[in-house]
Amino acid sequence: MKNFLGFVFMFFMVGQVFAQDDLLNQLDTVNSKEKQIETSAFKGLQIVNMQSTKLPTKGEWYMVVSHRFGDLTKGLDNFFGLDNAYTKIGGIYGATDWLSLGFSRQTYNKTYELTAKYKLANQQINGFPVTIVGYNTMDVNSALKTAQYPYLKFNNRLAFTTQILVSRKFSDKFSLEMAPIYVHKNLYEGGLEQKDLLLAGVGARYKIAKRLSVNLEYAARVNMPENFVSPYHNPLSVGLDIETGGHVFQLVFSNSQPMNDVAVFSNTSGNWNGGSIYFGFNMYRVF
């Protein structure tokens, strides 16, 4: 953990296929000649589950459809996950070139998620070394019932994340991102989870072909109390980006079945070491 945090510290310090492929290339470049801004470090708005530093441009709509099947390790018992799937459907709008707003509805806890993503700095060619993006989410847990919680208030349904995403594109093939992450829950189970959680996240992309890249991400919880035994694990995910005309399709393997940020970072129940693994996909369609 000390070596991991030291690496994070050093990072912050040192800091077509088809004709429609032209659209993806245009999304990656923002006034590159005028400001010498480096093209986007990531093709997708997400690395796998984590957000990347890529934003929509002004006026663009992204339709989001994500799916996570059930536990692959149970085999035929749940037909390799087909019997227990989670779905996320939503949209993201580029309000400006530096701000996007999003909304989604997800199966897990019947969660409604509002998001805001905003660019603070761009990586420049022979200039500023990294891209910096802020990201905030607010979840509304609509599955909670007053029969279970007699004194339930709307405020108890809310949970939040605040993230600072810092990426660097080292070459056309390799990009890296670091992200300090803060999770806050207004309602939580004291013996199993924490009201406030801090994580150090890292994600990477490596391009293996013209239209394919392999992505990897991991987030480590850094403020767990001593001797606190948690049933949840640090999220670790692997993805494959497939670029096609007008959209990016991502195949996903993860130890987290939920897809909202709060649950990914604080309620990952799967374990790559002999535990549950979930397969699924993310699909973003540009309009």
Side-chain angles (χ1 to χ4, degrees):
M1 178 61 70
K2 291 182 179 179
N3 291 336
F4 177 76
L5 293 177
F7 179 65
V8 173
F9 178 78
M10 289 299 297
F11 179 85
F12 281 115
M13 294 301 291
V14 180
Q16 84 162 64
V17 184
F18 306 105
Q20 289 179 320
D21 282 346
D22 292 338
L23 174 62
L24 291 173
N25 293 332
Q26 292 172 11
L27 298 181
D28 285 338
T29 307
V30 182
N31 296 331
S32 58
K33 292 183 178 180
E34 296 179 9
K35 299 182 180 180
Q36 292 296 298
I37 295 175
E38 182 61 87
T39 56
S40 179
F42 298 90
K43 278 290 185 180
L45 299 182
Q46 290 177 265
I47 301 175
V48 186
N49 285 316
M50 286 175 55
Q51 290 290 312
S52 74
T53 52
K54 182 179 177 67
L55 276 78
T57 58
K58 182 178 179 180
E60 286 181 339
W61 279 99
Y62 276 73
M63 180 181 179
V64 183
V65 179
S66 296
H67 204 71
R68 299 291 185 273
F69 298 101
D71 184 6
L72 281 175
T73 64
K74 291 186 178 180
L76 289 175
D77 187 50
N78 68 347
F79 207 72
F80 298 95
L82 290 177
D83 294 341
N84 312 104
Y86 285 177
T87 301
K88 169 184 174 180
I89 299 177
I92 300 172
Y93 177 66
T96 70
D97 286 332
W98 59 269
L99 172 67
S100 67
L101 303 173
F103 173 81
S104 66
R105 204 279 191 180
Q106 311 184 31
T107 306
Y108 178 76
N109 286 336
K110 300 181 180 179
T111 301
Y112 294 90
E113 186 177 53
L114 300 173
T115 68
K117 195 174 187 180
Y118 41 96
K119 184 167 290 186
L120 303 173
N122 283 302
Q123 179 181 346
Q124 298 177 343
I125 299 174
N126 298 322
F128 195 69
V130 295
T131 296
I132 304 175
V133 169
Y135 186 67
N136 293 86
T137 72
M138 182 180 77
D139 285 8
V140 181
N141 183 340
S142 67
L144 294 174
K145 304 299 181 182
T146 54
Q148 183 182 6
Y149 300 96
Y151 301 102
L152 184 70
K153 298 179 180 179
F154 177 76
N155 186 57
N156 301 134
R157 299 181 183 275
L158 304 181
F160 308 85
T161 72
T162 298
Q163 307 171 44
I164 300 295
L165 316 173
V166 183
S167 73
R168 178 169 174 79
K169 185 175 183 179
F170 289 91
S171 69
D172 288 339
K173 289 188 174 183
F174 179 67
S175 299
L176 184 68
E177 178 178 296
M178 298 291 182
I181 301 162
Y182 170 67
V183 180
H184 172 82
K185 296 181 177 181
N186 286 349
L187 182 66
Y188 66 102
E189 299 183 55
L192 302 176
E193 53 187 2
Q194 295 177 265
K195 182 177 182 179
D196 298 289
L197 186 64
L198 295 174
L199 303 96
V202 58
R205 171 183 182 262
Y206 187 80
K207 190 172 183 178
I208 57 176
K210 183 179 180 180
R211 300 184 293 273
L212 297 175
S213 66
V214 175
N215 298 352
L216 177 68
E217 66 182 33
Y218 176 75
R221 297 168 293 175
V222 298
N223 69 326
M224 297 292 291
E226 189 175 355
N227 300 322
F228 182 82
V229 179
S230 173
Y232 303 114
H233 304 280
N234 295 334
L236 172 63
S237 305
V238 180
L240 178 69
D241 278 8
I242 305 172
E243 303 168 27
T244 63
H247 67 270
V248 175
F249 186 78
Q250 297 177 311
L251 298 178
V252 173
F253 290 91
S254 178
N255 60 341
S256 173
Q257 188 181 21
M259 291 161 280
N260 57 308
D261 289 66
V262 170
V264 168
F265 296 126
S266 64
N267 297 111
T268 291
S269 58
N271 189 348
W272 283 85
N273 186 21
S276 301
I277 302 299
Y278 306 95
F279 169 72
F281 63 83
N282 301 325
M283 185 178 71
Y284 286 87
R285 186 67 172 90
V286 186
F287 294 95

